[in-house]
Amino acid sequence: MAVKSVFISGVGGQGTILAGKVITTALVNQGYDVKMSEVHGMAQRGGSVITQIRYGDRVYSPLIEKGRADVLLAFEKLEAVRYIDYLSPNSTLILNDLEMPPASVLTGKEAYPQDIVPRLKEEIKNIIVVNAVNIARECGEIRAQNMVLVGVLARVMDWSKNAFIEVIRQVVSPKYVQVNINAFERGWELNV
Amino acid sequence: MKKVFLTGNEAIARGAYEYGVTFASAYPGTPSTEILENIAKYSEIYAEWAPNEKVALEAAVGASMAGARAIVSMKHVGLNVAADPLFTLAYTGVNGGLVIVTADDPGMHSSQNEQDNRNFAPFAKIPMLEPSDSQEAKDLVGEALKISEMFETPVLFRTTTRISHSRSVVQIGERQPAEIKPYVKNQEKFAMIPGFARKRRLILKEKLQALEEYSEKFPYNRIEWGINQDIGIITSGISYQYVKEVFGDEVSVLKLTMTFPLPKKLIASFAEKVKEVYVVEELDPYLENQIKAMGIKVKGKEVIPEIGELSPEILRERLKREKVTVAFKPYTAVPSRPPVLCPGCPHRGIFYVLKKMKAVVTSDIGCYSLGVLPPLESIDSILCMGASISMGHGFKKAYEANGKDAPVITVIGDSTFLHSGITSLMDAVYNRSNTINIIVDNSITAMTGHQHHPGTGYNAKEEPAPAVSLEAICKALGVENVSVVDSYDLKAFEDAVKNAMNHKDGPSVIIARRACALLKGKGPKGLYAVNEEKCKKCKICLRLGCPAIQVSGDRVFINPLSCVGCAVCVQVCPFGSIEKVGDN
Ligand code: SF4
Ligand code: SF4
């Protein structure tokens, strides 16, 4: 199988690392060659964070090239528009409809752009906008927004649903397994 | 054989386990930290956090002298700290196998510089291995130990961020215990007085020649002939993956894994068989310069940048000369998102007060480096671990010597103070410096992800350990004016600084103490909100830069999902408009 690439962007503390762990564990379990790259340290203090995942028969680079990601999974709107150059005209943008104002906006120095969703909808033909926070809240745990988004992604990529549920059982702490599975399934079932 | 999905750092830890290491030491530093964290999980290996990299290396040298297999790990700048033992260690050599891991950070994701530590290998005269993925990271720990014992030399093991923090599939094996080698007293080998060192220098020269022969036959240095033998690429480490990604088997590749000493014959024979040779490497022209010195014509840095991280698209554009087409342009005029101090961070109030002080503030390496950014912007300088106190001292003395005066305040973390601040403070005491030195003590090594240090009361294996007292150290050094305040109590801190400004006979130390807000069970409790009837919209609270305090239009409010209840903002609001509304 040709190599596929999933680019995840978000804000430090949003659960992108756990999302990456669940996705890659499921892909490794299915026998793919997988590489994943993430950055630790300073960026995790509320900064912009990215995780890059590549899988297929044989993967060399852990980094995705610009214009070559199959999917950009953006956990936040500003973190989507920063990285859309990684998409090709045929790739898919999964966008969490969430606004997390950075420091300059919180303090009123800059404004949060209000036209992101309509602009992206105009530009990108394969775009899925999800309100993962609302769905996660309905599941009873806002922090499970990451699993809602993983559910949407798994459906888009045509990954095995059961393989993911199995992995969530393995890697999530027992107390939160059920709520995470519910969140994943709600994402999977979204009619997109 | 079992397959697992490991980061480069986890794979190195696994390698240490499989190949019989029994001693490991480190000081945390991105991107190296998880090596020791993972080694500490194996009960078969003694593992410790050392106060700094020099101590870590020296301890590992002792373990090796005793006959054990040992590993020591650090970030690139950490090797500068450990350079003193390193250079003479090349002369003495080792007994048990000794691997020194340096994790470099091209692009400076989490570092103050991007020095290329491959240069240390020829400088210190020790062999070096560079893995290209996690499987090699694990396997090469075994090779490094073998080389180390075969040639009685330490081995430098060099990774970069994209090796250390990338995951790939690794076949793991069983542990092969290594028996401790006998220790035999041998002063001519281990005690480097000039007479003995001169002899060892000659032995080192022979060793390097033998190692070069070994490098010629080392199976991890290998040629991968491509369809095209016109173009040959010489590469190593992560750059190898980018070359394969972009060219596949279109070109011929010489993958170097032992990058000191270089296999000169192998390189020459490869260069002869292809028409054009390129060297693809990140950062310095390390391979390029050595290959050029062999009289071989290669192209390198005129095509490949020497600054920042390399990437497959750079190779595609510059080397393959393919146009990289971008369908969607990123929006450039959008707000950036730099890292910030967390809600409830005990450093926030300290910098808020310091900003009002109009002093020269020299600072140090840690989360508190973020005090350089707006809106706090209280820091004048950041250089290296421990420099805050000594730089402040030098600044103050130079001003005095030239008839100028300014209050000088230094800011250093607890872990950084124990790493290399103590000798700086000794200098300030001994030479009677009137500096004010603030130890921001959040009782953990926070930036790298909460590692213990000699002051926390726990060791690397999370077992209770003796805790050194910061105040006792300062007093023992001869600091007369030592005070301890709660970092959340802005008035107490401000009073302590004012008191220190009046203390004119030697340095003062203020220990501002409060556990990192992210430490489980140690963070503050409570939930605060702006009483909108009382709020005068002066926006003074925004000067704290707490991510929980937000504005929307004219309205100032606290995001209840982010507020952790430190009550620092309450002390800043001049109108008493911020009130406790819950217990969180
Ligand atoms: S400092 Fe107090 S009065 Fe001023 S904006 Fe903040 S909450 Fe309102
Ligand atoms: S109490 Fe104030 S300063 Fe502390 S976390 Fe909450 S909003 Fe931020």
Side-chain angles (χ1 to χ4, degrees):
Chain A
M1 192 199 96
V3 173
K4 289 206 182 288
S5 303
V6 176
F7 194 108
I8 302 176
S9 63
V11 178
Q14 261 194 305
T16 52
I17 294 205
L18 183 66
K21 190 169 176 190
V22 168
I23 295 165
T24 50
T25 310
L27 293 170
V28 171
N29 287 352
Q30 284 166 67
Y32 291 114
D33 188 22
V34 185
K35 284 192 176 165
M36 169 165 85
S37 178
E38 48 192 33
V39 168
H40 302 207
M42 204 153 222
Q44 279 171 301
R45 297 279 171 272
S48 165
V49 291
I50 56 175
T51 296
Q52 309 186 45
I53 298 170
R54 309 191 68 228
Y55 68 102
D57 290 339
R58 174 82 164 92
V59 181
Y60 289 107
S61 168
L63 297 185
I64 301 170
E65 291 180 64
K66 293 208 169 104
R68 286 169 189 252
D70 294 278
V71 178
L72 167 58
L73 172 59
F75 276 54
E76 200 271 349
K77 289 189 289 183
L78 271 181
E79 301 314 314
V81 297
R82 258 190 252 291
Y83 300 106
I84 50 171
D85 49 340
Y86 281 86
L87 292 171
S88 81
N90 297 319
S91 17
T92 303
L93 169 63
I94 301 172
L95 177 62
N96 190 13
D97 191 1
L98 174 68
E99 191 171 310
M100 291 181 72
S104 60
V105 173
L106 292 180
T107 52
K109 288 214 175 88
E110 280 181 286
Y112 195 104
Q114 289 307 311
D115 59 344
I116 289 180
V117 175
R119 242 177 107 177
L120 288 173
K121 279 187 169 161
E122 181 91 353
E123 258 183 293
I124 295 169
K125 74 172 188 288
N126 303 323
I127 178 170
I128 300 168
V129 183
V130 190
N131 193 325
V133 175
N134 275 351
I135 297 173
R137 190 180 288 125
E138 285 165 25
C139 294
E141 176 58 68
I142 296 180
R143 278 176 298 175
Q145 59 165 325
N146 55 355
M147 284 310 127
V148 176
L149 295 167
V150 171
V152 179
L153 174 71
R155 184 70 172 267
V156 166
M157 298 304 286
D158 223 355
W159 291 331
S160 144
K161 182 177 162 186
N162 288 337
F164 273 79
I165 292 176
E166 200 41 55
V167 170
I168 294 173
R169 277 189 218 287
Q170 280 169 31
V171 308
V172 174
S173 72
K175 226 170 100 191
Y176 297 105
V177 165
Q178 201 47 50
V179 70
N180 275 287
I181 291 178
N182 294 348
F184 173 84
E185 288 186 326
R186 287 286 305 274
W188 173 275
E189 282 151 16
L190 266 193
N191 202 1
V192 285
Chain B
M1 261 206 259
K2 211 175 143 203
K3 278 190 180 176
V4 289
F5 192 55
L6 301 180
T7 62
N9 284 347
E10 291 166 351
I12 291 170
R14 180 73 200 183
Y17 168 78
E18 285 184 20
Y19 301 107
V21 166
T22 51
F23 181 97
S25 187
Y27 181 78
T30 313
S32 73
T33 311
E34 303 82 7
I35 299 172
L36 191 101
E37 280 185 323
N38 281 286
I39 289 179
K41 292 177 189 162
Y42 296 109
S43 59
E44 293 87 345
I45 307 178
Y46 169 84
E48 65 172 30
W49 291 120
N52 69 34
E53 295 86 354
K54 177 180 184 288
V55 174
L57 175 55
E58 290 156 351
V61 172
S64 155
M65 183 175 158
R69 289 191 155 187
I71 190 166
V72 55
S73 47
M74 58 199 71
K75 71 182 289 167
H76 57 340
V77 288
L79 196 55
N80 301 336
V81 179
D84 193 3
L86 180 74
F87 281 72
T88 307
L89 175 61
Y91 287 38
T92 65
V94 306
N95 184 22
L98 174 57
V99 178
I100 302 163
V101 184
T102 167
D104 295 8
D105 190 14
M108 294 171 268
H109 293 284
S110 205
S111 303
Q112 63 271 40
N113 79 25
E114 61 171 4
Q115 66 186 56
D116 187 338
N117 273 8
R118 293 179 301 169
N119 295 300
F120 265 110
F123 191 12
K125 301 183 169 51
I126 60 174
M128 168 168 62
L129 302 183
E130 287 185 75
S132 292
D133 60 17
S134 299
Q135 181 73 56
E136 280 195 349
K138 193 213 79 172
D139 296 343
L140 289 176
V141 171
E143 295 297 324
L145 288 164
K146 199 163 93 187
I147 293 169
S148 177
E149 286 176 359
M150 195 186 278
F151 296 93
E152 287 190 32
T153 173
V155 174
L156 190 62
F157 195 97
R158 192 253 189 177
T159 70
T160 53
T161 297
R162 300 299 180 180
I163 296 294
S164 285
H165 286 167
S166 290
R167 285 180 187 274
S168 57
V169 180
V170 179
Q171 299 241 0
I172 54 171
E174 296 295 313
R175 177 168 164 95
Q176 307 156 23
E179 218 165 290
I180 187 162
K181 296 172 86 184
Y183 168 67
V184 185
K185 183 166 174 165
N186 183 349
Q187 292 177 310
E188 289 206 10
K189 175 175 161 64
F190 287 117
M192 284 304 93
I193 53 169
F196 294 161
R198 280 182 208 113
K199 287 185 194 158
R200 294 301 297 180
R201 177 67 187 87
L202 299 173
I203 293 172
L204 177 57
K205 184 168 194 253
E206 284 166 20
K207 233 186 241 186
L208 288 173
Q209 276 160 356
L211 277 159
E212 190 179 317
E213 283 309 311
Y214 187 86
S215 188
E216 300 285 0
K217 298 196 182 72
F218 188 54
Y220 288 86
N221 290 335
R222 60 166 192 264
I223 296 174
E224 297 174 4
W225 292 113
I227 301 163
N228 179 332
Q229 297 199 4
D230 290 348
I231 294 180
I233 295 178
I234 302 176
T235 186
S236 70
I238 192 68
S239 307
Y240 163 79
Q241 305 291 358
Y242 302 154
V243 168
K244 295 298 277 187
E245 179 71 34
V246 171
F247 291 97
D249 50 13
E250 285 167 38
V251 298
S252 298
V253 177
L254 170 55
K255 180 197 186 297
L256 294 176
T257 301
M258 187 159 178
T259 44
F260 189 76
L262 287 179
K264 289 188 183 149
K265 288 178 210 146
L266 182 68
I267 292 170
S269 78
F270 177 73
E272 246 169 53
K273 290 189 190 106
V274 295
K275 287 207 182 106
E276 232 184 330
V277 187
Y278 289 90
V279 178
V280 175
E281 58 190 324
E282 217 166 33
L283 302 180
D284 292 351
Y286 167 83
L287 296 171
E288 181 183 343
N289 286 348
Q290 290 182 71
I291 296 171
K292 279 183 173 161
M294 290 161 55
I296 296 171
K297 236 185 98 194
V298 296
K299 283 200 185 120
K301 290 297 162 192
E302 60 257 63
V303 206
I304 309 292
E306 62 180 321
I307 296 175
E309 274 196 309
L310 205 55
S311 68
E313 62 249 48
I314 291 176
L315 297 189
R316 196 174 294 283
E317 251 172 345
R318 307 236 184 153
L319 205 52
K320 209 174 181 195
R321 302 213 176 80
E322 249 177 48
K323 224 179 120 47
V324 173
T325 48
V326 168
F328 310 107
K329 287 216 170 64
Y331 303 177
T332 43
V334 297
S336 64
R337 192 187 303 276
V340 287
L341 293 173
C342 305
C345 174
H347 303 323
R348 175 169 289 111
I350 301 296
F351 289 119
Y352 180 83
V353 171
L354 289 185
K355 191 171 184 179
K356 298 194 294 185
M357 292 290 170
K358 308 256 175 304
V360 173
V361 178
T362 57
S363 189
D364 230 294
I365 310 286
C367 284
Y368 50 95
S369 302
L370 293 170
V372 87
L373 297 174
L376 297 164
E377 291 172 305
S378 329
I379 291 174
D380 289 66
S381 73
I382 296 168
L383 184 67
C384 66
M385 295 286 286
S388 53
I389 298 177
S390 18
M391 275 179 70
H393 158 71
F395 193 103
K396 185 83 183 172
K397 285 290 176 191
Y399 257 36
E400 283 169 4
N402 291 279
K404 293 177 81 175
D405 193 26
V408 175
I409 297 177
T410 79
V411 181
I412 188 166
D414 45 335
S415 191
T416 310
F417 178 71
L418 295 173
H419 176 283
S420 48
I422 298 172
T423 43
S424 303
L425 187 58
M426 196 186 298
D427 188 29
V429 172
Y430 174 52
N431 292 304
R432 290 187 206 281
S433 220
N434 288 322
T435 52
I436 301 166
N437 304 282
I438 298 158
I439 305 178
V440 285
D441 175 11
N442 60 3
S443 309
I444 203 78
T445 317
M447 174 102 276
T448 44
H450 293 158
Q451 289 75 33
H452 287 295
H453 62 62
T456 67
Y458 289 88
N459 64 22
K461 301 223 176 206
E462 302 280 343
E463 299 153 346
V468 306
S469 152
L470 299 182
E471 42 273 57
I473 290 179
C474 296
K475 285 187 185 142
L477 288 174
V479 182
E480 282 162 14
N481 189 24
V482 180
S483 51
V484 182
V485 298
D486 178 352
S487 305
Y488 283 163
D489 188 340
L490 302 195
K491 172 142 196 322
F493 175 66
E494 192 167 338
D495 288 348
V497 176
K498 285 183 181 152
N499 159 291
M501 293 227 180
N502 294 325
H503 181 87
K504 291 284 181 226
D505 196 23
S508 298
V509 169
I510 302 167
I511 300 173
R513 181 167 289 150
R514 208 16 122 139
C516 170
L518 299 183
L519 271 183
K520 273 209 180 83
K522 293 205 175 154
K525 282 200 168 62
L527 178 62
Y528 288 79
V530 175
N531 181 332
E532 300 201 26
E533 274 162 28
K534 289 196 198 163
C535 175
K536 303 262 191 276
K537 313 201 184 334
C538 66
K539 299 190 176 167
I540 287 175
C541 54
L542 293 176
R543 294 184 199 158
L544 279 174
C546 173
I549 309 177
Q550 309 189 359
V551 266
S552 153
D554 215 19
R555 202 179 141 242
V556 178
F557 67 102
I558 289 175
N559 178 348
L561 292 177
S562 312
C563 173
V564 299
C566 68
V568 165
C569 54
V570 176
Q571 303 165 55
V572 162
C573 173
F575 303 103
S577 322
I578 302 179
E579 297 168 352
K580 188 162 183 185
V581 294
D583 287 322
N584 232 4

